[in-house]
Amino acid sequence: MRISELFARGEFVLTAEVGPPKGFHLDHLLHEAEEFLQDVHAINVTDCQSSVMRLSSLATCKALKDKGLNSIFQLTCRDRNRIALQSDLLSAAFFGIDNMLALTGDHTVMGDTKQAKPVFDLDSVSLLHCVKTLESGVDLAGNELDGEPPKFAKGAVVSPCSDSVDVQLAKMERKVEAGAEYFQTQAVYDSEKFIRFMEKAKQFKVPVQLGVIIPKNAGMANFMNNNIAGVSIPPEIIEELKADKEKTKAGVTGVEITARIIKECKDHCQGVHIMALGWESKVPALLEQAGLKGS
Amino acid sequence: MLITQLKTADEIKSLAGSKTVIISCEGCKEVHFPAAAAGELQKDLLGSGTASKVIRTEYVCSPENLSVQTKKHMDKLNAADTIVVFSCGVGVQSVSEKFAGKPVFAGCDTLPLPGYQGVTPLEVDCDQCGECYLNSTGGICPIASCSKSLVNGQCGGCKDGKCEVDKEMECAWDRIYKRLDKLQLLDSMKYPAKLRNFAPGS
């Protein structure tokens, strides 16, 4: 079901993210999704995340749907021109997948196949415009679609803790105008920064889900600080991860930190998006501690 | 080789302020420049009082040469509220760098022609995309300066003003935003979703 309908009903929308494998065996991913992600409203499936070649988002969304799980088709502009993007959107509609998330995508040199041609025929804004165009019954060339047009809940992303947050807000506005109906954010570790961002973002009148990544250890936190755009982890959190190595290794500290951030931010947003990065098994405990179970 | 093609008279007139100085770059052997049509249009702008001066010069693409060529016109240029440049995309970018505190607009689109491009090594580049974006981006080219050639704003890969592809490379859209903010022209970024036209000969 389209998560835009949940936002419209005023629900606090929970989503989690899974990354398809490098290979075509989905047993593990599907098992984890069924076991640990039953309490979220929809499951995002990444599209060759970090420019690493993997099984497609679309096939994985279909497999989740076959298990009765609601999915969000993430679509980047890195690997496909506008013909292929439109074709994949129609394919998603054919499979009954009706949530999508538009991203520009990381550059190809960020991943494991640096020789590949970076496409970027469209970008996140023009991709949203493209979805809206298809929904109106014509394609980007202006040619009519056969039969009833597709309909998606159209999502987009924004980085509230970016060091160039005003530039991000300007882009967010363009995405809203192009048709974005909901936003998921880059991982937030600084609640005050997020709340300040939401003060400015609320003028756009679209629901925003707080993005969180459960930190696994201090090394991961330092890595993200140095390498991941839009992510900034305060030193206190890194100290907290260093304090009790066993507790951190077991995921207890990461879940505590993330639950605390969710509690601090949840009155300022319309949902939470959890990027577990392999720690899907911690999601139930996180929802419990954040007071979101059964919401 | 490349071709510079005039933007429509209406578009150029809409860009000009009330005290516009025109820089018309002529004489570059690699460029087909519509000199007669440009001359007519410039005369029109002078006649209507929108432009106060036309500086006819050459090779504004080179920052050093641009400084030499504009030296005796600095009073007029400093007093101008807008500079409209008739040149290839490189020339417009060189002028917008030199006069970063002023709106600098392109009077031409730049299209490619096969063959020898010339050898002047320069800081900025023009991809000769044929639909010059410089007028909505503060004179900084998103096609040549953004690693993804994005035309609708910054992606999520900017960290400390640098591009995700290369920590030494400045994020073009960070620069564009700051330039437009300084010029109080941020509204010029609020155009509807733009899709590039890759059709040959378009």
Side-chain angles (χ1 to χ4, degrees), chain A residues 7-84:
Chain A
F7 287 116
R9 288 209 297 259
E11 289 199 38
F12 193 80
V13 177
L14 305 177
T15 54
E17 184 174 289
V18 296
K22 204 186 227 345
F24 64 98
H25 306 288
L26 276 175
D27 304 355
H28 176 71
L29 181 149
L30 294 173
H31 171 75
E32 296 236 303
E34 282 189 297
E35 187 80 17
F36 304 120
L37 305 180
Q38 288 289 353
D39 290 323
V40 300
H41 294 101
I43 301 171
N44 280 53
V45 184
T46 55
D47 175 12
C48 296
Q49 189 175 11
S50 309
S51 305
V52 172
M53 193 289 297
R54 300 160 200 262
L55 181 68
S56 78
S57 172
L58 182 55
T60 309
C61 284
K62 166 77 167 85
L64 287 169
K65 190 177 172 65
D66 290 346
K67 295 279 182 193
L69 295 162
N70 196 24
S71 61
I72 300 177
F73 177 32
Q74 290 197 190
L75 199 54
T76 74
C77 301
R78 177 191 56 233
D79 309 316
R80 278 159 291 193
N81 68 8
R82 66 193 82 176
I83 299 174

Side-chain angles (χ1 to χ4, degrees), chain B residues 62-129:
Chain B
S62 153
E64 291 78 19
N65 188 51
L66 175 65
S67 288
V68 173
Q69 299 282 346
T70 51
K71 204 169 173 185
K72 59 176 186 269
H73 305 293
M74 284 311 283
D75 285 351
K76 283 267 187 208
L77 284 161
N78 286 331
D81 62 355
T82 317
I83 302 172
V84 176
V85 186
F86 290 75
S87 75
C88 72
V90 180
V92 183
Q93 292 176 76
S94 297
V95 176
S96 79
E97 283 304 313
K98 182 169 169 67
F99 299 96
K102 258 184 222 308
V104 173
F105 296 120
C108 303
D109 289 321
T110 307
L111 291 87
L113 267 185
Y116 187 55
Q117 299 286 325
V119 289
T120 318
L122 295 163
E123 291 289 315
V124 294
D125 194 10
C126 170
D127 266 15
Q128 304 159 21
C129 69

Side-chain angles (χ1 to χ4, degrees), chain A residues 82 105-107 110 120-121 123 125-126 129 163-164 166-168 171 173-174 225-229 231, chain B residues 147-148 150 152-160 164-165 167 174 177 189-196 198:
Chain A
R82 66 193 82 176
D106 291 328
H107 197 281
M110 306 294 283
F120 303 113
D121 178 23
D123 55 48
V125 175
S126 46
H129 165 80
D163 45 71
S164 43
D166 289 335
V167 196
Q168 285 286 311
K171 180 86 176 256
E173 184 175 8
R174 308 266 332 266
N225 263 347
N226 293 330
N227 296 288
I228 308 297
V231 178
Chain B
S147 61
K148 299 174 186 172
L150 300 177
N152 290 303
Q154 187 185 61
C155 74
C158 173
K159 197 169 177 68
D160 301 323
E164 67 182 12
V165 168
K167 284 179 182 169
D174 201 52
Y177 186 91
M189 259 176 80
K190 291 182 183 170
Y191 42 80
K194 221 170 245 183
L195 280 74
R196 275 183 77 184
F198 288 95

Side-chain angles (χ1 to χ4, degrees), chain A residues 204-232:
Chain A
F204 304 131
K205 299 186 172 58
V206 283
V208 175
Q209 288 178 276
L210 166 80
V212 290
I213 294 178
I214 307 167
K216 293 179 183 174
N217 51 54
M220 176 201 192
N222 285 322
F223 177 84
M224 289 200 287
N225 263 347
N226 293 330
N227 296 288
I228 308 297
V231 178
S232 152

